[in-house]
Amino acid sequence: MSTLADTKTLLAELIGFPTVSSDSNLHMIRHLAERLSHCGAEIEVWHDETGTKANLFATLGPKLDGGIVLSGHCDVVPVADQDWTSDPFRMEERDGKWFGRGACDMKGFIAAAVAMASHYAALDLQRPVHFAFTYDEEIGCFGARALAETLREKGLKPAVAIIGEPTSMRIIEGHKGCYEYTTHFTGLEGHGSGPDRGVNAVEYAVRYVSKLLELKEDLQSRAPEGSRFEPPWTTINTGALVGGVAHNVIPGKARVEWEMRPVQKSDADFVKGALHQFCAHMLIPAMQLVHPDAEIKTEVIGEVDGLTPMEESEARDLVMELTGANGADVVPFGTEAGIFQGLGMSVVVCGPGSIDQAHKPDEYVSVDQVKQCLGMLERLASKLV
């Protein structure tokens, strides 16, 4: 069987695992572990605290530092309320495209990488190649963060990571961070006819959002000189403000769901510091003047650092050589790449399919894109011997 045909078969199998982030990924992890084990890879499976999710870390070649990591996440976004023309968890081929949930984000890359494993295993590898497949990227990169901690504890030190997110096989050397929060407001309920006797959680949430909008404007002046991002500054988005039960009831609960995409970590510190001061010195004292138990608490959903472009980058130079590209780009969307970079690795993002298809109904990866990816991975073999 050709590598492309093997990739197609494996991708169909992977799409068949409905690994929505709310559900377990263990069946997919076991399937990948079995495939890689048959190639002679050393397999490590590390579960989360619930036992329903797991990361897979597999190694071919010598037990040395300085290896190359091929990484992807197993989870996919939900298909509920999406208008698919075919079963999202059964791959279909139409017009040179492979359709299915996760086809490009990012089971296409995982299938291509694992399909290449038997080829790597047949070589006299002088440099290890690692396969890192994670859980819960879509809801906060929790799997990659756990994986990074495990690698740190075990003293494993790969040198290069290629994160196969869908980039249309462009080399991405930088992206913004993604920090997500839910801020909870607890006030005091009461009858709408006596607003001074209660603490209106929705009104305080509105004041909080107004502060977010003020900071959103301030961040534009903090854009680093020469920033390549679009837009070049850190952004803030208010995703939801939820609270209240009726027209005539003072709402005692509210929440604001929001995110920021930092260009630089100092911007995140600036925003968090300003919000802390605003709440501690303005909002909370006013709330507790009426009700001592009133409070504002911010829940961290996820804080994923960005990928910082580096002047010297082994990963960028390597993948440029493998793909024939003559440059690298930056993107506004986030990936797990910054987590790997935080371990001291040189990292790029490069994979088959377009981000424009990710998360949408009738998600697909084109066969041509998968062929390009396989070409890159085939040429990688010469860097491992």
Side-chain angles (χ1 to χ4, degrees):
M1 181 182 292
S2 71
T3 307
L4 180 63
D6 191 22
T7 301
K8 177 182 179 181
T9 299
L10 180 53
L11 178 56
E13 293 167 351
L14 299 184
I15 288 173
F17 295 111
T19 52
V20 176
S21 302
S22 58
D23 300 323
S24 174
N25 73 338
L26 294 185
H27 292 300
M28 177 172 166
I29 287 291
R30 290 180 187 132
H31 188 67
L32 292 170
E34 183 178 352
R35 278 288 304 254
L36 290 165
S37 181
H38 285 163
C39 296
E42 180 178 312
I43 304 296
E44 300 263 21
V45 175
W46 300 314
H47 293 80
D48 74 344
E49 58 187 17
T50 71
T52 63
K53 306 279 183 74
N55 291 321
L56 170 63
F57 191 78
T59 302
L60 288 170
K63 296 181 180 180
L64 300 172
D65 291 342
I68 297 175
V69 176
L70 304 176
S71 182
H73 62 82
C74 298
D75 61 315
V76 297
V77 298
V79 299
D81 300 321
Q82 290 190 339
D83 186 17
W84 285 71
T85 58
S86 58
D87 183 343
F89 296 112
R90 181 177 179 181
M91 192 178 85
E92 286 197 9
E93 181 173 6
R94 302 192 299 272
D95 303 320
K97 302 169 183 174
W98 293 334
F99 290 83
R101 172 55 87 222
C104 72
D105 188 20
M106 56 184 301
K107 294 179 178 181
F109 177 81
I110 293 175
V114 173
M116 285 299 303
S118 59
H119 177 58
Y120 297 148
L123 304 174
D124 182 19
L125 298 176
Q126 302 301 304
R127 186 177 190 179
V129 57
H130 309 282
F131 302 83
F133 303 134
T134 61
Y135 62 87
D136 285 357
E137 186 270 351
E138 296 289 4
I139 57 173
C141 295
F142 298 119
R145 288 152 67 184
L147 176 68
E149 188 59 34
T150 305
L151 294 179
R152 192 179 287 113
E153 290 173 356
K154 291 181 173 291
L156 299 173
K157 297 180 179 179
V160 168
I162 301 171
I163 315 299
E165 289 276 8
T167 67
S168 300
M169 292 305 294
R170 293 183 301 134
I171 301 170
I172 303 304
E173 63 176 343
H175 64 68
K176 296 182 181 182
C178 184
Y179 289 28
E180 298 181 330
Y181 306 95
T182 300
T183 301
H184 300 271
F185 299 80
T186 301
L188 178 64
E189 286 189 345
H191 196 282
S193 63
D196 293 342
R197 297 192 187 97
V199 178
N200 191 312
V202 168
E203 291 182 359
Y204 282 95
V206 169
R207 292 174 66 181
Y208 189 89
V209 171
S210 295
K211 185 64 175 179
L212 288 175
L213 294 174
E214 177 187 317
L215 291 168
K216 182 178 180 179
E217 294 297 318
D218 292 343
L219 287 166
Q220 295 188 24
S221 64
R222 294 174 58 92
E225 186 175 352
S227 173
R228 295 159 59 194
F229 292 106
E230 180 56 44
W233 51 77
T234 294
T235 59
I236 291 177
N237 180 65
T238 303
L241 194 166
V242 181
V245 293
H247 294 83
N248 61 348
V249 177
I250 299 169
K253 299 284 186 181
R255 72 176 188 270
V256 174
E257 298 177 7
W258 62 282
E259 65 153 30
M260 60 177 159
R261 305 267 174 160
V263 172
Q264 52 197 352
K265 193 174 185 300
S266 59
D267 285 349
D269 295 337
F270 165 72
V271 170
K272 290 191 289 184
L275 289 171
H276 174 76
Q277 292 294 318
F278 182 61
C279 290
H281 297 297
M282 297 289 292
L283 299 188
I284 293 175
M287 296 168 75
Q288 293 183 346
L289 194 63
V290 177
H291 181 53
D293 293 331
E295 63 181 8
I296 300 172
K297 288 188 175 180
T298 293
E299 175 189 3
V300 178
I301 305 303
E303 293 183 334
V304 181
D305 289 335
L307 175 63
T308 303
M310 306 298 289
E311 188 172 335
E312 295 184 5
S313 171
E314 181 185 358
R316 180 191 62 222
D317 295 345
L318 170 66
V319 179
M320 284 177 62
E321 183 178 349
L322 297 178
T323 62
N326 57 8
D329 301 320
V330 299
V331 291
F333 62 83
T335 76
E336 297 171 329
I339 296 171
F340 288 88
Q341 190 177 57
L343 287 171
M345 297 185 212
S346 178
V347 187
V348 293
V349 184
C350 183
S354 169
I355 196 68
D356 292 339
Q357 270 73 58
H359 299 190
K360 293 182 178 180
D362 289 347
E363 177 183 346
Y364 70 84
V365 62
S366 73
V367 177
D368 181 66
Q369 284 279 301
V370 174
K371 287 179 179 178
Q372 290 182 48
C373 181
L374 287 170
M376 175 185 75
L377 296 173
E378 286 169 0
R379 289 185 284 275
L380 176 63
S382 65
K383 306 299 179 182
L384 303 172
V385 294

